[in-house]
Each structure stands twice: as structure tokens, then as C-alpha cells.
Amino acid sequence: IKKEINMINLKPADLEDRKKAYQWLYFSDFSSFLKEMDSSDSISTMQEFEEDYEDFFFDDSYPEKGRAYLIIREEGSVLEEIGFISYTAFHLIRGIAEIDIWLKSLEYTVRGYGREAIKLLTQKLFQEEFKTLIIRPCLKNVRAVNSYKKTGFKETSFKPEYYKREYIHEFAAGDCKDGEDMFMELKNSDTS
């Protein structure tokens, strides 16, 4: 029997949503789980989060640089915000974007919601002429890695040629401790 997935949609996040996304990432049971995965004890301040997630993620001013969305679960007439997903492209060469995702609580994991959100975002990005998408989970986050594989991402070696020269040093290591991240990519099958 196949588990039924409630309808998932993406809603463009606005500046008011930035604080929620920050709270979900650093101060939820999901954030505790992520901290275990990447062995990091540091919590970014709201100011640091705003520097990472600049206004353009929330106001459509530079969609070629990146955009953030709330993951919305629909059950009947009830709409519930359950997570955050974004793409970033300012640090990558044209046609490539990096995806990041987190949910607001562990109760939403292992239900296929994240996978559906990734599918929606990848479809949108491929329609907007992105040709390759990357995602960089921590190796220890087996659930995430398996979920990304189910959406078509394949493990590969780090590709410095995907990055603009001035950003390689800053982004090469990924967000996990040295050597503990996995580089995954998904290519648009229409252009491969």
C-alpha cells in the first residue's frame, strides 16, 4: 500500500517569513537533528542569517541570484506552513543553482513532503532554464541523502568548475565539517 502524500505547494516567501525560516533552522526539534548530523554547535545570529539570506531571496528583486519559498501542506481546506526551500545561484556559473531545504519540525520528516517540495522546485528551475541543480547534504544525514536520491539527485565529486572563481574558496568546503558533506547533482534531462 502506497503512503498517500498530502498536497504540497510552494509559496514565494516574503521578508516577513525570514524570521520564521531562521527559527525553524536554529530553534526547532528539526534544528537539533541537523546539528547532530553536521556536528556543529554554532548557531548563526539573525544578522548572520540575514547576510546569508539577503532581501533578494524574499522580494523577487534578483531571481537569477536566488529565491526562497515556504513549503505549504494542504489538507482539505487547511493550509499549513511546514518548511522552507530555496535556490541560490549568485555564486555559481550561469545555468546552475544550489538547493537548500529544511522543515519546521521533525513531525514532517519521513512523509515525502520534502521530496515533493524538491520535485516542485526542480521542475520550476528547469523551466527557467537552469540546467544543473546541486545539493550538499551532510554524509551522516542518511534520510536526506536517500530522499534526494529518490528525487533524482546523484552523488558525484565536487565540481569546482560550477562555481564562479571568486566564490570557490568560500563555498568549496560545504556547510558540514571538513570532508563530511556529499556533493549531489541533478541535470535537466531535456538538455543532458
Side-chain angles (χ1 to χ4, degrees):
I1 298 174
K2 188 174 179 180
K3 219 183 344 180
E4 189 166 321
I5 297 175
N6 291 315
M7 178 64 91
I8 295 294
N9 283 308
L10 302 182
K11 173 186 158 205
D14 60 33
L15 286 165
E16 299 294 315
D17 297 318
R18 185 162 39 191
K19 187 169 185 175
K20 274 189 275 200
Y22 172 74
Q23 293 292 324
W24 296 343
L25 181 58
Y26 291 110
F27 300 102
S28 70
D29 59 352
F30 189 76
S31 59
S32 300
F33 169 75
L34 290 177
K35 281 183 222 159
E36 288 176 28
M37 294 298 112
D38 73 9
S39 308
S40 172
D41 293 326
S42 66
I43 294 176
S44 293
T45 64
M46 184 64 191
Q47 181 179 347
E48 290 167 329
F49 185 78
E50 288 175 356
E51 289 168 7
D52 287 342
Y53 280 91
E54 296 180 53
D55 290 357
F56 66 79
F57 281 98
F58 303 93
D59 66 10
D60 286 321
S61 57
Y62 295 102
E64 70 279 5
K65 291 183 176 185
R67 186 65 168 103
Y69 299 87
L70 294 179
I71 302 169
I72 308 294
R73 180 176 72 105
E74 289 184 42
E75 191 168 339
S77 61
V78 177
L79 301 178
E80 180 184 16
E81 298 171 347
I82 64 166
F84 183 85
I85 189 168
S86 65
Y87 71 90
T88 309
F90 70 87
H91 63 306
L92 299 163
I93 63 169
R94 185 180 166 99
I96 300 175
E98 184 170 1
I99 293 177
D100 203 0
I101 182 173
W102 58 89
L103 302 175
K104 77 175 186 181
S105 173
L106 282 175
E107 75 179 270
Y108 301 108
T109 62
V110 198
R111 295 180 178 201
Y113 299 146
R115 213 170 34 249
E116 289 303 309
I118 289 172
K119 285 179 185 177
L120 288 171
L121 184 57
T122 59
Q123 289 168 0
K124 177 180 177 28
L125 293 174
F126 286 153
Q127 289 171 354
E128 293 177 6
E129 300 182 21
F130 283 95
K131 299 189 180 3
T132 302
L133 305 177
I134 62 172
I135 198 161
R136 298 187 64 185
C138 292
L139 287 168
K140 293 180 190 174
N141 194 345
V142 176
R143 279 194 237 173
V145 169
N146 288 336
S147 183
Y148 303 153
K149 285 179 179 177
K150 287 178 183 175
T151 61
F153 280 86
K154 301 204 179 326
E155 181 179 355
T156 186
S157 57
F158 175 70
K159 305 271 176 75
E161 65 271 18
Y162 285 180
Y163 292 77
K164 291 179 182 172
R165 184 172 295 141
E166 65 269 27
Y167 291 107
I168 290 174
H169 178 73
E170 182 180 350
F171 290 100
D175 291 334
C176 307
K177 277 183 146 180
D178 290 340
E180 292 184 5
D181 73 318
M182 179 185 288
F183 193 89
M184 301 178 82
E185 69 180 2
L186 177 64
K187 293 191 175 277
N188 186 345
S189 59
D190 293 339
T191 62
S192 300

